[in-house]
Amino acid sequence: MKILYLDCAMGCAGDMLTAALLELFPNSDEILAELNALGIPSVKFIRQDSIKCGITGTRLRVLIAGEEEGEHHHHHHSRLADIAHIVEHLQASDTVKKQVLDIYESIAKAESQVHGEPVEQIHFHEVGAMDAIADITATAYLMDKLGAMQVYASPVHVGSGQVKCAHGLLPVPAPATALILQGIPIYGGEIKGELCTPTGGALLKYYVNHFGNMPPIAVTAIGYGMGKKDFDAPNCVRAMLGEAAGESDDILELSCNLDDMTGEGIGFATEQLLNAGALDVFTTPIGMKKNRPGIMLTVLCRPEDKDTIVPLIFRHTTTLGVRENRLHRYVLSRKTETVQTPYGPVRQKIATGYGVERKKYEYEDLARLARENGVSLADITDKEQ
């Protein structure tokens, strides 16, 4: 499974994220040409090398009618309808267009709440300028092209102090940015200035599935997207692309000792627990007090399923108490694909991670085809197409 991890120790801006993603492609010059062919009015992307605190990365300049952001005499102020019109005519897939509009809608809602105006009447300043349209569209295009199954990011450094914008001096993070980042772990620091922009925050909120520590991955590519300003720390977003090295999670082990149940009763209890979402149910022969042979019933479940599973153990067994242990487990990433055979389609389970890959055909599919065609299980898999 392909995983993308974003290091936001110096915040996130749209151009920095775009540049970091661009560096992940081995054919980045070809990808840059594709960005310039998206048809964003008057926009041209220019890539240049940049060094921050000894680290070499990419700075992506966005020229609008030949000028870079900050050089314009006037920002173009747009409403959401104007942006929708631009997006509609992009040379991009419907998926990318929808993502761009979704991201802008999240920004519009934040701006609407801050300024007390209806969403339809919001005039986008920084975020509505063509350079921001370019940043969001380029990021959406690159994310779609990368095809990462999961996106992780570190907590976001937002900076501190004040930032000058079209409305005057505002606290960092700016009010709209703070709203966009609700629910995301953020922190400030000694660095004065705006490290996370509204555009950067909206992009993170839209694409990131998990915020926290970097998961175990086998890294295949690293990208550094550089910002314009210089600080004591490298002003960049770092993107790391890789394959899942494996997964891990926490589960609960619920157990009880039984010496007065029939085999049929234990079998029925096992069935009910599995149907209720237990990950596994198994029994272990044990010796109990008074020299009685018995069994230990063990149920593995997710923590969030405990309140469902525990009452069922009491309902379907004769136990008077249930023990609980929290376990940490390591698991392989799993997916199912369908393969074609001369006898019909068969599902195949694929498990990967921790340097191994295992494949196993779904028994029920094999058995059904074997019965229907009067052949053995091996005949079906031997003739896989």
Side-chain angles (χ1 to χ4, degrees):
M1 179 171 67
K2 190 183 292 186
I3 290 180
L4 175 66
Y5 178 73
L6 302 173
D7 183 352
C8 303
M10 288 297 288
C12 182
D15 59 336
M16 294 165 65
L17 180 56
T18 303
L21 297 178
L22 183 62
E23 280 211 335
L24 298 176
F25 293 89
N27 58 335
S28 56
D29 288 339
E30 295 176 17
I31 303 301
L32 181 63
E34 293 178 16
L35 294 181
N36 279 316
L38 287 172
I40 308 172
S42 305
V43 166
K44 182 176 182 180
F45 296 98
I46 296 179
R47 175 185 178 178
Q48 67 180 42
D49 292 336
S50 176
I51 299 177
K52 303 286 185 184
C53 299
I55 298 174
T56 301
T58 292
R59 181 170 168 243
L60 197 64
R61 299 176 61 204
V62 179
L63 300 187
I64 300 135
E67 294 183 308
E68 193 172 359
E69 181 185 11
E71 299 173 351
H72 314 317
H73 296 294
H74 300 283
H75 274 293
H76 176 63
H77 292 192
S78 306
R79 290 193 174 125
L80 200 56
D82 302 320
I83 293 165
H85 178 77
I86 293 171
V87 173
E88 181 184 350
H89 293 85
L90 292 175
Q91 300 301 308
S93 68
D94 290 340
T95 299
V96 170
K97 292 178 182 179
K98 180 182 183 304
Q99 291 177 2
V100 174
L101 289 177
D102 286 346
I103 294 165
Y104 264 105
E105 185 175 351
S106 70
I107 297 172
K109 288 179 179 178
E111 294 279 356
S112 172
Q113 186 171 340
V114 168
H115 301 301
E117 298 179 13
V119 172
E120 297 78 12
Q121 299 300 317
I122 289 294
H123 284 75
F124 292 91
H125 299 282
E126 287 82 5
V127 295
M130 291 307 301
D131 39 67
I133 294 175
D135 291 341
I136 293 176
T137 303
T139 297
Y141 182 83
L142 295 179
M143 290 293 290
D144 184 65
K145 203 168 186 69
L146 280 173
M149 297 293 291
Q150 291 286 312
V151 181
Y152 290 73
S154 69
V156 183
H157 190 176
V158 296
S160 63
Q162 296 177 317
V163 60
K164 185 177 181 180
C165 68
H167 299 284
L169 284 176
L170 298 178
V172 171
T177 306
L179 279 175
I180 291 168
L181 292 174
Q182 277 187 324
I184 293 175
I186 64 174
Y187 64 97
E190 296 180 357
I191 295 178
K192 299 295 183 182
E194 181 185 41
L195 297 184
C196 185
T197 65
T199 303
L203 290 168
L204 291 175
K205 187 153 193 174
Y206 188 83
Y207 287 111
V208 176
N209 307 109
H210 311 279
F211 287 91
N213 295 329
M214 180 178 177
I217 60 172
V219 177
T220 57
I222 303 174
Y224 291 89
M226 301 304 194
K228 210 188 240 187
K229 298 179 180 178
D230 291 317
F231 298 103
D232 291 337
N235 184 24
C236 68
V237 169
R238 179 166 63 171
M240 305 180 80
L241 185 68
E243 293 291 330
E247 299 178 7
S248 65
D249 61 6
D250 289 329
I251 60 172
L252 296 183
E253 179 187 73
L254 306 173
S255 61
C256 61
N257 295 351
L258 305 167
D259 65 357
D260 56 352
M261 285 189 68
T262 65
E264 291 92 341
I266 292 171
F268 183 76
T270 298
E271 178 183 289
Q272 296 304 304
L273 290 165
L274 289 171
N275 288 340
L279 298 171
D280 199 3
V281 182
F282 57 92
T283 59
T284 307
I286 57 174
M288 298 178 62
K289 61 185 178 181
K290 300 182 181 180
N291 297 319
R292 293 176 182 173
I295 68 159
M296 180 169 65
L297 179 73
T298 303
V299 183
L300 302 180
C301 72
R302 297 180 179 86
E304 58 267 27
D305 294 332
K306 180 179 70 172
D307 291 341
T308 299
I309 298 296
V310 170
L312 286 177
I313 295 176
F314 284 114
R315 181 183 304 170
H316 295 292
T317 74
T318 57
T319 188
L320 300 178
V322 176
R323 300 181 296 273
E324 173 186 320
N325 287 307
R326 181 174 288 269
L327 305 176
H328 189 73
R329 66 172 181 167
Y330 300 91
V331 297
L332 299 180
S333 300
R334 284 161 281 188
K335 65 179 180 179
T336 300
E337 295 181 350
T338 299
V339 298
Q340 295 297 325
T341 76
Y343 302 102
V346 175
R347 287 171 294 171
Q348 185 180 59
K349 301 173 184 176
I350 302 173
T352 59
Y354 298 102
V356 302
E357 180 178 82
R358 296 175 185 157
K359 297 182 179 181
K360 184 178 181 180
Y361 295 102
E362 180 62 57
Y363 167 76
E364 295 298 337
D365 291 356
L366 293 178
R368 176 178 53 80
L369 292 177
R371 294 188 193 102
E372 292 174 353
N373 294 278
V375 298
S376 69
L377 298 179
D379 287 336
I380 297 173
T381 56
D382 287 346
K383 295 181 180 180
E384 176 190 332
Q385 294 177 337

